[in-house]
Amino acid sequence: MTEWWRHAVIYQIYPRSFGDGDGDGMGDLAGITARMQYLADLGIDALWLSPVFASPQVDHGYDISDYRDIDPLFGTLEDMDELIATAHDYGIRVTLDFVPNHTSDQHQWFTAAVASGRGSPERARYLFRDGRGPNGDEPPNNWKSVFGGPSWTRVDEPDGSPGQWYYHLFAPEQPDLNWRNPEVVAEFASVLRFWLDRGADGFRIDVSDALIKDDAWPDTATGEPIIPKGEDSPVHEVYREFRRVMDAYPGDRMAVIETGAEDEIVSLFIRPDEMHLAFNFKFVHAGFDGPKLRAAIDSSLAANAAVGAPTTWVTDNHDTPRSVSRLGQNATLAGAYVPGTMASGIFQEVDLELGTRRARALALVLLALPGAAYIYNGQELGLPNVDDLPDEVLQDPIWERSGRTVRGRDGCRIPVPWTTGANLGFSRARAKPWLPIPREWASLSVAAQHASADSMLTLYREALRVRRASTALGRGTLRWVSAPGEADDLLVLDMVGEGSTVRVVVNLSGAAIDLPEGELLLASQPVSAGQLPAIAAAWVALPPAPSIADRLISAVGDLTEAIPIVPTLRPGG
Ligand code: NOJ
């Protein structure tokens, strides 16, 4: 068992936005397969594809109507087979999004639940409750949806009378399943098998900690839902079952948990008999703030070490404003994105040069730390968030659900620029990309960055090449060198691997600092005269420490110099 996932670099593809193979303006599976060489050259180990399954696309695929089919928007099952086979030919593993918390309201189970009426086994697969008030006109409790508005929607009963309410943590088109029902567990175990049989190397599990709700459904002071996640929550038994399913397959399959919970809770989901990895959102929200970064690193490593699991490192994804823009605000604001609100930030006064400089430095932290690292498509190009999309092109359901007050996540989902030509190479010339691509992104395109020594793309490629060749980066053990009290200006840590140590120096201050002695492997800004400029990071291979034998020889040498040689005394002599 290689447990490749313990130190893998996993690249998240947002399929709508990666590459358009059929020229309809929407990215698809063929567009990904056609660009596999790029991914291989980048040097990643695995892919995570955001959902490509049959879906009305209310939440861009996080509303699935058939878990065993591909949405025609993205291609066919055969296209997926080809994608997996091509990736495997390049030695790249493929992990798929798995969305167990809710289905689409168009899923056959849900339409059957509405049609079958109160008390039916079909309804028992979802969370239907009677309403409150004399005619059941009021929702069963006051919990709010993550996307805005109430989390309950009322259905009409089969006879046309106003009926029960169903619970949806997200949009009304995303009804939550009842994970206390064994039939639901069995069905999703079978979905896992379907994709494992087709060659998937693993899964990213959407809102994985939210499957079980407090079944007393009490009102809460703020309208926040109560979602038991602790050791006693039945949610852990669900993951034990998933783990049994995955362990029955050869090939070291892996699943990563998505949860924004506190580290000690997160680590419960990655105990040896549950899932393998968990996203580390504290790291996302630490921005470029030294003390927050250090705290996020320490607390996550400690909590996961207690259960023997590795940690993941993430700065960007399809729900979060892109880091180049986030980090281009002042340091305090850079961490201010609030988990769960999915706001798009409409940033004021973003300094993209500063944000890019910080993002370059942070890339060398992300890719050095012990564990698995995630890269979100376009992050390696230094794409900024697009915060000036006109209202009429916005697509995220959050926009409408919030009464057009929260603009949503479209700004981090803009299609990737590949060339400087028409549609920046994302799609054919006459197509209209599903979200407009800023023309000025020509200079950020893969073609424009490919051969440039100081581009973000070159930094990522180099970092991944150096990491792959190293026993220390990503794989070794972390040892802090700088003191916690220095974190405002400086983070220095050693990654200690087998036979080599790489020192990671992060200069958060406004002035250049001296780098330690050793071989400079990579720096996020040019280093001259052994000095690392302000707001930059570097990897330095430390000179090999003398072996114990060398140390003994030199200690004996020192002794023999210091002490006059005494003739050996023979017993009795
Ligand atoms: C988390 C996903 O990352 C997000 O994009 C989605 O809207 C929600 N879960 C609901 O599935």
Side-chain angles (χ1 to χ4, degrees):
M1 188 117 128
T2 63
E3 301 203 326
W4 59 276
W5 38 270
R6 284 189 173 268
H7 43 70
V9 177
I10 303 167
Y11 186 89
Q12 179 191 356
I13 290 187
Y14 198 63
R16 293 177 154 246
S17 298
F18 191 67
D20 175 11
D22 62 5
D24 64 355
M26 178 66 69
D28 48 38
L29 296 180
I32 299 170
T33 305
R35 289 165 174 82
M36 204 63 76
Q37 184 67 52
Y38 169 79
L39 297 166
D41 291 345
L42 185 57
I44 47 121
D45 299 300
L47 300 176
W48 150 31
L49 306 189
S50 283
V52 288
F53 313 105
S55 161
Q57 301 290 322
V58 168
D59 189 18
H60 296 171
Y62 284 97
D63 49 316
I64 298 175
S65 50
D66 185 349
Y67 287 78
R68 296 179 181 83
D69 205 356
I70 299 294
D71 196 278
L73 212 51
F74 300 116
T76 60
L77 278 172
E78 290 66 39
D79 290 331
M80 178 56 100
D81 292 342
E82 195 180 334
L83 186 155
I84 294 176
T86 309
H88 286 174
D89 285 347
Y90 279 101
I92 295 173
R93 291 179 156 91
V94 180
T95 66
L96 302 177
D97 224 303
F98 182 67
V99 185
N101 181 66
H102 44 267
T103 67
S104 157
D105 63 346
Q106 302 304 306
H107 191 285
Q108 184 260 326
W109 266 15
F110 190 74
T111 48
V114 176
S116 304
R118 210 182 238 105
S120 63
E122 287 81 1
R123 285 226 173 153
R125 295 167 176 156
Y126 290 90
L127 299 168
F128 280 87
R129 293 291 178 275
D130 290 332
R132 295 191 290 193
N135 302 312
D137 291 344
E138 302 290 322
N141 72 12
N142 72 342
W143 294 2
K144 291 181 302 200
S145 143
V146 173
F147 284 169
S151 59
W152 295 95
T153 294
R154 195 170 196 187
V155 297
D156 285 339
E157 295 303 339
D159 65 4
S161 63
Q164 287 193 297
W165 300 70
Y166 67 89
Y167 179 78
H168 48 88
L169 181 58
F170 295 92
E173 296 84 354
Q174 294 167 297
D176 282 39
L177 287 156
N178 174 15
W179 278 91
R180 296 179 197 264
N181 180 344
E183 194 192 350
V184 173
V185 181
E187 167 64 6
F188 278 77
S190 144
V191 170
L192 288 178
R193 285 193 204 96
F194 178 87
W195 290 107
L196 292 166
D197 286 337
R198 282 195 109 92
D201 296 287
F203 305 96
R204 172 266 188 195
I205 305 182
D206 190 59
V207 276
S208 27
D209 56 354
L211 305 189
I212 297 284
K213 285 82 182 171
D214 185 332
D215 58 358
W217 301 100
D219 275 344
T220 56
T222 57
E224 290 303 311
I226 303 182
I227 297 179
K229 307 175 185 182
E231 216 154 333
D232 303 334
S233 168
V235 72
H236 296 292
E237 201 36 61
V238 173
Y239 288 108
R240 288 191 194 102
E241 174 59 13
F242 289 174
R243 181 62 181 252
R244 284 189 284 270
V245 169
M246 295 182 72
D247 280 351
Y249 282 78
D252 210 4
R253 319 282 173 118
M254 172 280 270
V256 59
I257 288 279
E258 188 215 19
T259 159
E262 282 306 307
D263 290 331
E264 286 65 30
I265 297 290
V266 173
S267 64
L268 295 176
F269 289 81
I270 45 175
R271 286 175 291 183
D273 58 349
E274 296 194 35
M275 299 289 88
H276 307 73
L277 299 174
F279 287 128
N280 180 352
F281 288 117
K282 221 179 237 177
F283 191 75
V284 181
H285 303 301
F288 197 68
D289 178 310
K292 282 191 192 161
L293 281 169
R294 189 167 172 143
I297 293 169
D298 283 343
S299 91
S300 166
L301 283 176
N304 295 346
V307 295
T311 291
T312 65
W313 309 102
V314 193
T315 61
D316 289 72
N317 62 34
H318 65 294
D319 291 330
T320 310
R322 285 198 178 266
S323 57
V324 159
S325 300
R326 264 186 296 131
L327 303 177
Q329 308 164 101
N330 74 51
T332 327
L333 281 177
Y337 170 67
V338 184
T341 61
M342 301 192 176
S344 91
I346 305 297
F347 298 128
Q348 306 297 325
E349 295 166 34
V350 173
D351 177 344
L352 281 185
E353 209 179 301
L354 174 66
T356 303
R357 197 179 171 107
R358 286 175 170 165
R360 290 176 66 90
L362 201 54
L364 294 196
V365 181
L366 176 84
L367 295 171
L369 291 170
Y374 274 83
I375 300 172
Y376 173 49
N377 61 200
Q379 175 181 339
E380 80 280 19
L381 302 175
L383 299 183
N385 216 60
V386 176
D387 286 318
D388 57 0
L389 288 169
D391 291 0
E392 61 277 10
V393 306
L394 293 180
Q395 310 235 1
D396 189 337
I398 292 180
W399 173 234
E400 292 298 340
R401 291 278 305 157
S402 68
R404 303 194 160 207
T405 55
V406 182
R407 300 182 68 77
R409 301 157 291 177
D410 294 321
C412 66
R413 297 172 172 181
I414 305 294
V416 170
W418 292 91
T419 68
T420 55
N423 277 328
L424 302 189
F426 163 73
S427 191
R428 290 191 199 138
R430 280 196 302 278
K432 184 167 177 252
W434 74 284
L435 283 172
I437 318 176
R439 191 59 227 166
E440 63 273 19
W441 279 15
S443 63
L444 292 173
S445 66
V446 171
Q449 297 200 35
H450 176 74
S452 150
D454 55 7
S455 72
M456 188 71 96
L457 179 57
T458 301
L459 180 74
Y460 267 87
R461 279 187 182 149
E462 275 301 288
L464 290 172
R465 187 185 60 76
V466 173
R467 174 185 167 115
R468 221 176 15 258
S470 168
T471 62
L473 295 162
R475 288 181 157 76
T477 306
L478 181 152
R479 221 158 45 197
W480 285 106
V481 177
S482 57
E486 292 177 288
D488 279 327
D489 290 331
L490 189 65
L491 295 174
V492 184
L493 58 95
D494 282 349
M495 287 299 301
V496 184
E498 247 173 68
S500 73
T501 296
V502 175
R503 181 154 295 179
V504 181
V505 182
V506 190
N507 182 6
L508 300 110
S509 78
I513 55 169
D514 288 333
L515 281 175
E517 228 177 87
E519 183 199 346
L520 179 64
L521 298 174
L522 193 59
S524 66
Q525 299 294 328
V527 166
S528 72
Q531 290 231 306
L532 181 66
I535 312 178
W539 290 348
V540 180
L542 298 185
S547 67
I548 295 183
D550 287 344
R551 282 210 301 261
L552 271 179
I553 290 166
S554 89
V556 170
D558 291 349
L559 274 179
T560 48
E561 266 167 41
I563 306 168
I565 295 186
V566 183
T568 319
L569 295 176
R570 289 207 190 108

